[in-house]
Amino acid sequence: TQLLEQSPQFLSIQEGENLTVYCNSSSVFSSLQWYRQEPGEGPVLLVTVVTGGEVKKLKRLTFQFGDARKDSSLHITAAQPGDTGLYLCAGAATDSWGKLQFGAGTQVVVTP
Amino acid sequence: DAGITQSPRHKVTETGTPVTLRCHQTENHRYMYWYRQDPGHGLRLIHYSYGVKDTDKGEVSDGYSVSRSKTEDFLLTLESATSSQTSVYFCAIVQVPNTEAFFGQGTRLTVV
């Protein structure tokens, strides 16, 4: 059982549509990160959320941290083919700082 | 660019042989991590280090050992490789306090 559960596992949408990816846990996190990974490369950090209820925007991407700091979401508005990739959430639970763990990832495919 | 280099980038080895993967960083980061990535599992933590000669186990540490005799190098050893250790291995440096990870390019290991 993974500490961080991501859903859905796979998402295929048309260009211009919106999508949301979820990251849930029963543990509390002092911070959560979102990464995007392209084939053959390592994950690249997109954003870190720290405060419960926090919302951060990165162009068309909106990230939210749950009030209880146990979950997070990533919303993409008007998706483009360049948004295609594997999206991963990650964090270290407050009771096991140092053990930075990742969700299984959500594969997003945006077709023109 | 976090100055992280993994070597080798690709390796094919036989079952039962020892294998050592190297992670080298140039920016004096204290925290270094080893992950493996397999389809459907995302990134799973093998071992991590919080300083020279200070290491701890992750969620999938069985069959792996690590060493960190210098700040810049973190070595991952498979004492006797098995087919189940065929995977892509990623090294990361992690910046505190928000555990933000920056990854190397990965090592694709195949055990035949």
Side-chain angles (χ1 to χ4, degrees), chain A residues 2 9 30-31 33 35 37 40-45 48 50 86 88 91-92 97-105, chain B residues 9 31 33 35 37 40-45 48 56-59 90 94 96-105:
Chain A
Q2 300 213 218
Q9 289 185 309
S30 56
S31 66
Q33 294 85 43
Y35 297 79
Q37 186 178 21
E41 314 231 340
V44 174
L45 178 67
T48 296
V50 178
L86 180 67
L88 298 151
W97 193 96
K99 290 192 174 181
L100 176 62
Q101 297 189 58
F102 284 74
Chain B
R9 293 293 315 279
Y31 295 88
Y33 288 61
Y35 293 89
Q37 187 171 34
H41 291 281
L43 288 148
R44 291 184 290 176
L45 180 62
Y48 64 104
D56 205 349
K57 295 180 180 180
E59 57 186 311
F90 285 100
V94 172
V96 297
N98 291 332
T99 60
E100 295 173 337
F102 298 88
F103 288 85
Q105 297 238 328

Side-chain angles (χ1 to χ4, degrees), chain A residues 3 25-31 65 68-70 92-96:
Chain A
L3 181 68
S25 178
S26 57
S27 297
V28 177
F29 294 86
S30 56
S31 66
F65 201 11
R69 293 186 289 129
K70 292 183 177 182
T94 53
D95 61 355
S96 58

Side-chain angles (χ1 to χ4, degrees), chain A residues 10-32:
Chain A
F10 183 80
L11 206 50
S12 180
I13 61 171
Q14 300 271 39
E15 183 176 0
E17 294 182 337
N18 302 332
L19 68 97
T20 302
V21 177
Y22 300 93
C23 177
N24 295 293
S25 178
S26 57
S27 297
V28 177
F29 294 86
S30 56
S31 66
L32 272 178

Side-chain angles (χ1 to χ4, degrees), chain B residues 32 72 80 104 109:
Chain B
M32 298 183 75
E72 58 265 35
S80 177
L109 176 67

